[in-house]
Amino acid sequence: MTAHVRATMATPHIDPYRKTADPHRNAQEARLRVLELAAFMKREEADDASRPRSRGTATGHAVDMFLALLQDRLPVWRRILDDLMYLVGKGRVSENLLPITRAGIDYYCEVQSAALPAFTSPSVTVRFREAMRDSDIGPMSEIVPLTAYLAAEQRAGRLSPEVVPVASARLLLAGCFRHAYYEILLGSDSLPSRDEVAEEIVRELRLEPQRA
């Protein structure tokens, strides 16, 4: 196993005290990374004669639709997360996180709905994994800004000292993803509303010190 592959498999270190980059620049870079990802997948498909062609097929169309949606939605989602830093010290932390959580549920519902028909082909899935391996738009790109916000609020004394910012960030995003998955699978009629779920996710994190 090469050093590069080992590095990509390792869990990256998160510095919750770092200053986040410019949100507008992050959003633009996210859009560029998706374009590069799409170009990589098409180039790999064209170069490898052993792989069946998907272009022009239902699978190829689904992949194109997924990447087009990701190019549109991911920069907005990244911008929402980065903008959290402007709320440090303002309002209540739980109230600040509610619209973020709801936006996360909306984002995952949209993106995963488009991803399901796109990744029915093993070869497409492999190409996507290869493209994502060297990309900076993976799960950590969502965890880092949320962790930075929670750490800043904790330093300001607005979060319980027992809170672990990175763990709370992971749990919040996992809660959003979980609801999106079940909504796609079971339908929204059999589940609580997205607003109700967002409130439940934030409440169960127990971020703020208990009031006497």
Side-chain angles (χ1 to χ4, degrees):
M1 185 179 294
T2 66
H4 172 73
V5 173
R6 285 197 300 269
T8 59
M9 293 175 62
T11 301
H13 171 70
I14 296 178
D15 179 7
Y17 304 107
R18 75 170 183 83
K19 292 183 178 179
T20 55
D22 175 64
H24 177 72
R25 180 180 178 184
N26 278 351
Q28 293 298 106
E29 288 184 351
R31 183 172 285 108
L32 178 60
R33 296 291 87 77
V34 176
L35 287 172
E36 292 174 346
L37 185 151
F40 174 90
M41 292 184 68
K42 290 181 179 180
R43 183 173 64 251
E44 287 291 298
E45 182 183 36
D47 291 346
D48 192 341
S50 68
R51 287 171 170 161
R53 296 291 181 264
S54 62
R55 196 170 305 166
T57 65
T59 298
H61 179 68
V63 171
D64 290 341
M65 291 293 291
F66 166 71
L67 292 172
L69 181 67
L70 192 64
Q71 181 188 346
D72 181 66
R73 299 295 191 269
L74 180 60
V76 176
W77 174 227
R78 289 282 296 269
R79 180 68 180 265
I80 288 172
L81 290 170
D82 286 333
D83 281 347
L84 264 172
M85 291 303 292
Y86 295 120
L87 299 179
V88 174
K90 302 175 183 177
R92 290 187 58 191
V93 176
S94 58
E95 292 173 354
N96 292 342
L97 289 175
L98 275 177
I100 306 302
T101 308
R102 173 56 198 269
I105 294 172
D106 293 344
Y107 169 74
Y108 288 130
C109 281
E110 274 197 283
V111 170
Q112 294 308 312
S113 292
L116 288 177
F119 294 102
T120 56
S121 165
S123 63
V124 171
T125 302
V126 169
R127 288 200 300 277
F128 184 76
R129 289 173 180 170
E130 291 171 351
M132 288 292 290
R133 185 173 297 153
D134 296 319
S135 174
D136 62 354
I137 57 174
M140 293 306 299
S141 68
E142 300 170 302
I143 294 170
V144 168
L146 188 52
T147 299
Y149 167 72
L150 293 173
E153 292 286 28
Q154 191 172 53
R155 292 196 301 275
R158 286 159 40 85
L159 256 63
S160 172
E162 290 80 18
V163 168
V164 179
V166 64
S168 296
R170 291 181 189 274
L171 287 172
L172 186 150
L173 294 170
C176 295
F177 190 91
R178 178 181 182 277
H179 179 78
Y181 172 80
Y182 281 114
E183 187 171 307
I184 293 168
L185 186 67
L186 304 175
S188 59
D189 292 343
S190 61
L191 298 169
S193 71
R194 294 182 185 181
D195 286 334
E196 291 174 318
V197 171
E199 291 179 2
E200 181 179 326
I201 290 170
V202 174
R203 182 173 60 250
E204 290 185 352
L205 291 177
R206 300 180 181 179
L207 296 171
E208 294 169 308
Q210 296 296 314
R211 296 180 178 179

